[in-house]
Amino acid sequence: GTDANKDPGLFYILVSLTPKATHKNVEKIILGEIEKLIQNPPTSDEITGAKNRIKANYLFNLDGTYNQISNLGFFELTNAWEAALSWPDQISKVSREDTLNVLKKYFTKENRTVGYFIPVIKKGEKFEPQPINLSRTQHYTKNETAKQRNGEIAKEQNSTIKFRFKKIKLKDGSDLLIYNKIDLPITYISGAIKGGSSLLPKDKEWQCQLIARTLEKGSKDYTKEQIEDYLDNTGSEIDFSCEEESFKFNLLSLNEKLNDTVNILIDLLNNPIFPENEIEKEKEKLIAEIIES
């Protein structure tokens, strides 16, 4: 990641290791990838995909008046608020040569700082694990308290402007609620299926997390690589999460990419393949997260 500031900032790479990995080997892999980028810069298609992803995320993060005002304030502090209007166009102008120049100028050994965090338990000390919440949640939802939500609902009910939505009964008996907003060219789709970890035996609750993690690893019509390439090149997001009493899915897409993104989501829900090698990888990650927590 990187932070945009008025003053010079940092580009950073953070890695959490699985129990079998070593710091030296992981560092070697990261430095090797950086060197590959310098020797073989991203292709034009990769640059285009990155631009699409950045511009899509920019639009996603403008959802709501608060986010729009915050965005203007950010650009005013770092440059000028007018830059917020031209920023997507500026991203479009970035070339493959620009990327290579940045890699050569800044990604050097002299500019690099590497740090290892290796926790050590002293003799006589006892490690006490904290409660763990491993659910993966959609991160574009509003972060508001129940009191705030209730206040908004009450305000809406007393207003002449009603919450505009329509309810459609699907063939399987479930309800589809649609709320239209036209200020941004984006679409959210969220759903909940009866299920969750509470419906599983205590010694198998972890299986729900494993399903959520491996559901997006391939389906009948789409390979894992095809799904990853599509999401990476369009900025669309598909996310699954397992909670105590429900299994949830979320989709976020630009309207122009919506049909293709929905087709992938439907095939993942109806025809997942759960590749065995991906299950083993996610098991290792899950174990690492439990130990880390």
Side-chain angles (χ1 to χ4, degrees):
T2 184
D3 295 322
N5 302 300
K6 193 175 186 69
D7 299 316
L10 296 172
F11 184 97
Y12 50 89
I13 300 172
L14 304 177
V15 184
S16 292
L17 277 61
T18 59
K20 296 180 181 179
T22 66
H23 292 76
K24 284 289 184 184
N25 286 340
V26 172
E27 181 185 351
K28 184 178 179 181
I29 292 170
I30 293 172
L31 298 181
E33 290 300 317
I34 292 174
E35 188 60 31
K36 285 180 187 177
L37 280 175
I38 295 174
Q39 298 300 324
N40 300 290
T43 64
S44 297
D45 287 342
E46 288 172 329
I47 295 292
T48 299
K51 291 177 183 178
N52 291 340
R53 186 169 62 253
I54 292 169
K55 289 188 286 187
N57 286 336
Y58 185 72
L59 287 174
F60 297 156
N61 288 321
L62 290 180
D63 188 20
T65 53
Y66 176 81
N67 290 336
Q68 292 174 24
I69 293 298
S70 296
N71 186 59
L72 288 175
F74 168 78
F75 277 96
E76 176 65 17
L77 287 172
T78 56
N79 187 5
W81 71 265
E82 292 89 348
L85 306 178
S86 61
W87 192 80
D89 293 331
Q90 295 299 321
I91 291 296
S92 298
K93 295 177 182 177
V94 175
S95 67
R96 186 168 182 258
E97 184 179 356
D98 293 331
T99 305
L100 178 58
N101 290 337
V102 168
L103 284 168
K104 287 183 175 180
K105 183 175 180 179
Y106 296 107
F107 285 68
T108 64
K109 185 175 182 180
E110 292 73 23
N111 284 346
R112 184 185 308 145
T113 299
V114 180
Y116 294 170
F117 175 69
I118 307 175
V120 177
I121 299 178
K122 297 179 181 178
K123 188 175 182 180
E125 289 184 341
K126 184 179 180 181
F127 174 72
E128 295 184 2
Q130 300 297 314
I132 298 171
N133 179 9
L134 293 173
S135 63
R136 300 164 63 210
T137 57
Q138 222 274 2
H139 52 277
Y140 283 100
T141 54
K142 275 188 175 181
N143 184 17
E144 47 186 15
T145 65
K147 184 177 180 181
Q148 288 173 317
R149 287 195 297 272
N150 291 336
E152 288 293 333
I153 293 171
K155 183 178 179 181
E156 185 66 27
Q157 288 173 344
N158 294 328
S159 172
T160 56
I161 303 174
K162 298 300 180 182
F163 187 67
R164 299 180 297 276
F165 73 92
K166 59 181 178 179
K167 182 176 179 180
I168 300 174
K169 182 70 72 173
L170 302 180
K171 290 181 179 180
D172 64 354
S174 56
D175 294 326
L176 173 64
L177 300 178
I178 301 176
Y179 173 54
N180 293 319
K181 289 180 67 176
I182 60 173
D183 56 339
L184 288 172
I186 62 177
T187 296
Y188 296 89
I189 295 178
S190 299
I193 302 169
K194 185 178 180 181
S197 57
S198 64
L199 301 183
L200 294 171
K202 280 292 181 183
D203 60 339
K204 295 183 179 180
E205 287 183 347
W206 60 271
Q207 292 181 357
C208 193
Q209 291 296 334
L210 202 58
I211 291 172
R213 288 164 174 263
T214 54
L215 195 61
E216 60 192 46
K217 303 298 183 181
S219 62
K220 185 182 74 173
D221 293 336
Y222 301 94
T223 65
K224 172 196 170 188
E225 290 73 23
Q226 287 174 325
I227 295 169
E228 289 177 345
D229 286 345
Y230 175 81
L231 297 178
D232 197 43
N233 290 325
T234 64
S236 302
E237 296 188 10
I238 295 175
D239 185 71
F240 302 101
S241 62
C242 176
E243 299 186 5
E244 287 190 13
E245 297 181 355
S246 64
F247 189 90
K248 295 183 178 180
F249 59 86
N250 296 280
L251 175 150
L252 179 56
S253 174
L254 295 175
N255 291 347
E256 62 186 73
K257 303 293 183 182
L258 183 59
N259 286 343
D260 291 335
T261 311
V262 168
N263 286 337
I264 292 175
L265 173 63
I266 291 173
D267 204 50
L268 286 171
L269 289 172
N270 289 329
N271 306 297
I273 58 176
F274 299 111
E276 187 173 347
N277 63 321
E278 296 296 335
I279 291 176
E280 293 305 314
K281 288 180 185 177
E282 292 303 323
K283 281 182 180 179
E284 286 192 14
K285 292 180 183 177
L286 193 57
I287 292 170
E289 288 176 20
I290 292 171
I291 295 173
E292 185 179 9
S293 299

